[in-house]
């Protein structure tokens, strides 16, 4: 009887052990399933958070671009009004504003500085595939009587934005009110004039209206010798000769 009881108890213990093992396996499987579900939820939440962060960053960048564009528009409008009353000899500033019209931050976010914008414009519009000055640039050189070698002017134009330091804008030429460009070697006169004329004639810049007006070209003695016209031509004042580009 005792042996039978022992066997019965042993069988029950074995059964209970199997039941406990099944329960443990079931609990482990459930915990694993719950862990996977939690991990999925965490990943999903992380993805949502990342997407929201990207949206916020894009919105912040868009607002920054709008603010920058508004400030540039206000500055351009102020310069245009000022040019009705006095000389505006701010070639670097005019170049920067014209380049911002050509390559607005909202459409060219990779171009984060005026230097980068000018580098792109230079490669696309100033030089040809052989890295020589394009025909239009050469025509402007000839029209304003540029006596530099083409390679010198090209090299000066390549880095024109960095060459025009703030100090060179302290000079006030004795000429009529309006936008001026050119000047002597300290201003990289030929180079800045050609750059501004090419931007004046660019279709995208024309839409911005900043340079849709006469630009006074100053020779190396800071005399107003030519006028860059918004119709794509250059007028030599001495004999009224018009060069149509």
């Amino acid at each position: 009887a005792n042996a039978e009881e022992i066997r019965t108890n042993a069988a029950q213990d074995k059964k209970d052990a199997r039941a406990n093992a099944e329960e443990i396996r079931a609990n482990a499987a459930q915990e694993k399933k719950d862990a996977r579900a939690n991990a999925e939820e965490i990943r999903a939440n992380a993805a949502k958070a990342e997407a929201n962060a990207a949206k916020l960053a894009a919105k912040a960048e868009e607002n920054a671009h709008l603010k920058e564009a508004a400030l540039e528009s206000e500055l351009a409008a102020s310069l245009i009004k000022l040019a009705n009353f006095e000389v505006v000899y701010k070639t670097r500033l005019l170049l920067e504003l014209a380049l911002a019209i050509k390559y607005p931050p909202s459409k060219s976010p990779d171009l984060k500085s005026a230097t980068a914008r000018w580098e792109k414009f230079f490669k696309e519009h100033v030089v040809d595939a052989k890295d020589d000055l394009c025909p239009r640039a050469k025509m402007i050189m000839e029209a304003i009587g540029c006596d530099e070698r083409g390679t010198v002017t090209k090299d000066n134009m390549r880095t024109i934005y960095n060459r025009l330091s703030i100090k060179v804008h302290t000079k006030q030429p004795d000429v009529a009110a309006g936008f001026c460009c050119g000047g002597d070697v300290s201003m990289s006169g030929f180079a800045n004039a050609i750059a501004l004329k090419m931007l004046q004639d660019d279709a995208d810049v024309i839409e911005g209206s900043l340079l849709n007006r006469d630009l006074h070209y100053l020779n190396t003695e800071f005399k107003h010798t030519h006028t860059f016209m918004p119709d794509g031509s250059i007028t030599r004042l001495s004999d009224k000769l018009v060069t149509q580009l």
Side-chain angles (χ1 to χ4, degrees):
N2 287 338
E4 193 64 36
E5 184 179 357
I6 290 170
R7 280 194 295 274
T8 300
N9 290 337
Q12 185 62 45
D13 290 343
K14 191 174 182 180
K15 184 178 179 181
D16 292 342
R18 281 198 297 269
N20 288 336
E22 286 296 326
E23 184 179 358
I24 290 171
R25 280 195 293 272
N27 290 337
Q30 185 61 46
E31 289 175 358
K32 190 174 182 181
K33 184 178 179 180
D34 292 342
R36 281 198 297 267
N38 289 336
E40 286 295 326
E41 185 178 358
I42 290 171
R43 282 194 290 270
N45 290 336
K48 288 180 182 178
E50 186 175 352
N52 288 336
K55 287 181 181 178
L56 290 173
K59 189 64 176 177
E61 186 172 2
E62 181 184 356
N63 290 338
H65 290 161
L66 290 173
K67 185 177 181 180
E68 182 179 353
L71 290 173
E72 288 171 344
S73 179
E74 289 178 12
L75 180 56
S78 298
L79 287 177
I80 291 170
K81 289 181 180 178
L82 186 63
N84 291 325
F85 304 100
E86 63 180 67
V87 174
V88 177
Y89 192 30
K90 306 287 185 186
T91 314
R92 177 172 173 151
L93 184 54
L94 291 177
L95 284 172
E96 180 169 351
L97 292 172
L99 288 168
I101 294 171
K102 174 67 177 174
Y103 305 111
S106 58
K107 295 182 180 179
S108 305
D110 54 319
L111 303 177
K112 299 185 182 299
S113 67
T115 303
R117 294 178 189 126
W118 171 250
E119 182 179 352
K120 181 176 178 64
F121 186 85
F122 181 84
K123 289 179 179 179
E124 292 181 347
H125 300 282
V126 178
V127 292
D128 58 22
K130 297 180 180 179
D131 199 42
D132 292 328
L133 284 176
C134 70
R136 191 177 191 84
K138 292 178 180 178
M139 288 178 67
I140 298 171
M141 285 181 65
E142 183 177 355
I144 62 177
C146 175
D147 56 4
E148 293 179 337
R149 286 181 299 158
T151 52
V152 173
T153 302
K154 181 189 70 176
D155 290 342
N156 285 343
M157 290 187 71
R158 191 185 302 275
T159 56
I160 187 60
Y161 188 79
N162 292 330
R163 288 175 176 271
L164 297 177
S165 67
I166 300 301
K167 290 182 180 179
V168 301
H169 297 307
T170 58
K171 188 176 183 63
Q172 283 288 64
D174 185 18
V175 296
F179 287 164
C180 295
C181 61
D184 64 18
V185 66
S186 69
M187 293 286 297
S188 297
F190 292 127
N192 83 58
I194 298 168
L196 207 58
K197 178 56 180 169
M198 296 194 73
L199 281 164
Q200 182 190 38
D201 297 339
D202 181 85
D204 295 322
V205 179
I206 289 173
E207 289 185 9
S209 77
L210 172 69
L211 301 181
N212 293 356
R213 65 205 72 256
D214 294 355
L215 304 180
H216 301 163
Y217 167 71
L218 310 180
N219 66 6
T220 55
E221 298 177 351
F222 294 92
K223 302 297 184 182
H224 179 194
T225 59
H226 297 73
T227 298
F228 295 165
M229 312 297 287
D231 63 359
S233 65
I234 297 176
T235 299
R236 187 168 64 195
L237 301 185
S238 62
D239 56 6
K240 304 302 180 183
L241 176 66
V242 176
T243 301
Q244 188 67 48
L245 303 176

